[in-house]
Amino acid sequence: MSPDMIPDAWASLRGLGLRRCEDQGNLNATWVAGEPPRFIVQRVSPVFAPEVHDDIEAVTAHLAARGLATPRLARTDDGGLWARDAGGAVWRAMDFIPGRTHHRVGTPALARAAGALVARFHRAVDDLEHRYRHVRAGAHDTALHMERLDAAATGGEGRRLADAILDAWRTWQGRLDLPPRHCHGDLKISNVRFSEGGEGLCLIDLDTLALQPIDVELGDAWRSWCNPAGEDSTEARFDLEIFAAAVAGYREVRPFGAEEREALADAPERIALELAARFCRDAFEDRYFGWDAERFPTRVAHNLHRAAGQLALARAARRQREEIARRLAGG
C-alpha cells in the first residue's frame, strides 16, 4: 500500500514526509508524518464504521479538557474528522505523541505505571456524557461466545479443546452484573504510550472505546499484561508480581469498590476463556484475519494453538484466584 493513496484532505500534512510505522497493528495500516514526527496517518480497517471518529473526538476532547495527554484527530480542510480515498477507504490523521511503545510487560514498574495511567483515564471519563455511535454488539458477551463455539464445534482435536473450554466456563464462579462505564476497550500494553522514563503518558488506538463493565476492561488488560508467554504460547502463566504492581498503580489513583473487587477477582479467567472460545471457533470456521505461516502449517492450527494457550492461562488464573483476590484487597 502506497502513501500516495492518502487523500489530499489535510493542509497540515502537505509537505511532510511519510514513512511506514514500525509498529503495525492487526487492522489499521499506519504511517508517520513529519521529521520529527507530527502526525500518525492511518487507513482505517472497514471493521470500524466511520462514525467511530465521532466517538474518538468526544472522548479525547473530554480527556484534554481534564488535562490528560491524548492524541487528537486532525481536522480535514473542510472540517471533517476523516476522509475517503478514491477507492472509498477511510483515512484519518491524529497527533503523534512522542514516547515509547512496549510489547510486553517486562517489569513490575512498567505494570504499575500502566495501571496508574488506566486509572487516570477511567477517573477522567467518569463524568463523560456520550452515546457511542460505533457499537461492537456482543464484543464481550462471554456466554454468547460460548454458545457460538458450541454451535460451530465439530469433531477431532478441536472438539476436545472446545469441550474443555466449555466445561471451564460452566464451572466459572464469577459475577456478570457490574454496570457499564466508559472504557478504552483494548488495553494490551502496546496501546499504552510511555515516556522514556517509564511513566504512562496516554492511551492510543482508540477505535474500541465503548461502554462496558470495568471487570471486562481490566480483566482483558491483566490477561494480557500478566502472561509473560504471550498469546502464541501454550506455556501460559499468570504472573502475580506483575498483577500486584498493576493493581497497586491503579488503586493509588482510583480505589476499587467492594463489588468491583469481587468481580475483578474472576475477571482474568473469564476473559481468557472468552478469548479461548473465540480462537477455537475461528479454527472451526477458518476465518481469522491473521496467522503466522512460518510457525504453523494452517490458520486452523494457529488458532487451536492460541485457544489452548488461553485455556491454560484461564486455568492458571483459577488456581491463583485467592491470591488475586487478596492483592485486589490490598494484601
Side-chain angles (χ1 to χ4, degrees), residues 100-105 110 188-192 194-195 198:
R100 296 189 63 187
T101 297
H102 295 271
H103 294 279
R104 61 182 298 271
V105 184
L110 195 72
K188 59 188 177 186
I189 202 64
S190 59
N191 285 341
V192 182
F194 292 90
S195 71

Side-chain angles (χ1 to χ4, degrees), residues 146-229:
M146 296 298 167
E147 291 175 11
R148 288 172 172 170
L149 171 60
D150 197 19
T154 52
E157 178 185 355
R159 178 72 249 189
R160 290 190 292 274
L161 180 57
D163 286 342
I165 295 166
L166 293 167
D167 285 344
W169 174 245
R170 279 189 285 268
T171 57
W172 182 76
Q173 298 294 315
R175 57 187 296 173
L176 297 167
D177 58 351
L178 289 192
R181 51 160 298 116
H182 296 288
C183 288
H184 176 275
D186 185 17
L187 288 177
K188 59 188 177 186
I189 202 64
S190 59
N191 285 341
V192 182
R193 195 73 164 151
F194 292 90
S195 71
E196 293 297 330
E199 178 187 4
L201 294 176
C202 68
L203 301 180
I204 59 174
D205 279 7
L206 304 173
D207 295 297
T208 52
L209 292 165
L211 289 171
Q212 63 186 23
I214 195 172
D215 54 314
V216 169
E217 173 93 308
L218 293 180
D220 192 31
W222 297 335
R223 172 203 65 81
S224 173
W225 300 357
C226 302
N227 178 13

Side-chain angles (χ1 to χ4, degrees), residues 161 164-165 168 227 229-230 233-238 269 272-273 276 305-320:
L161 180 57
I165 295 166
N227 178 13
S233 173
T234 55
E235 303 298 321
R237 66 182 179 89
F238 191 83
E269 180 190 354
L273 286 174
H305 188 83
R306 286 179 170 126
Q310 289 302 298
L311 176 59
L313 180 62
R315 287 169 169 166
R318 180 177 296 195
R319 288 194 300 270
Q320 298 175 100

